[in-house]
Amino acid sequence: LGLKFDESMEQKTVIEFVTDQVQSSKTEAMAGNPDEARRLLQQFEFPQERWNERVLILSGGERRRLQFLKVLSQVSW
């Protein structure tokens, strides 16, 4: 079974999804940094040409990395 995102999440672009995750992050250091979403995407090896693709069309591996990014962005270090 593939990872499921709710319908509203699947319609977002990758950069929108990650930006939302950073904005809702519980860590002030991440939420206050507008470049954090781009840094996370690079760290999780999302090529820049995929940032404007909708989550809906990502491959299974890309969706797993995005889910992992989401989980880690919510963890308070």
Side-chain angles (χ1 to χ4, degrees):
L1 296 175
L3 290 174
K4 298 284 184 183
F5 290 91
D6 67 43
E7 190 174 326
S8 66
M9 293 288 193
E10 287 190 335
Q11 294 304 315
K12 292 183 179 190
T13 64
V14 171
I15 191 75
E16 289 170 339
F17 178 86
V18 176
T19 299
D20 287 352
Q21 294 308 308
V22 170
Q23 293 301 323
S24 66
S25 170
K26 295 177 181 166
T27 60
E28 289 181 26
M30 285 178 70
N33 185 349
D35 294 326
E36 186 64 21
R38 288 187 290 275
R39 186 190 69 75
L40 284 170
L41 284 168
Q42 290 171 344
Q43 186 175 357
F44 280 81
E45 299 183 6
F46 277 94
Q48 193 167 358
E49 60 269 9
R50 297 290 279 170
W51 295 3
N52 290 313
E53 297 287 346
R54 301 238 178 256
V55 171
L56 180 65
I57 66 165
L58 295 178
S59 71
E62 289 169 325
R63 292 170 72 90
R64 283 181 185 86
R65 287 199 322 259
L66 200 58
Q67 187 74 14
F68 191 49
L69 186 156
K70 176 182 176 181
V71 169
L72 289 180
S73 71
Q74 295 172 349
V75 173
S76 179
W77 303 100

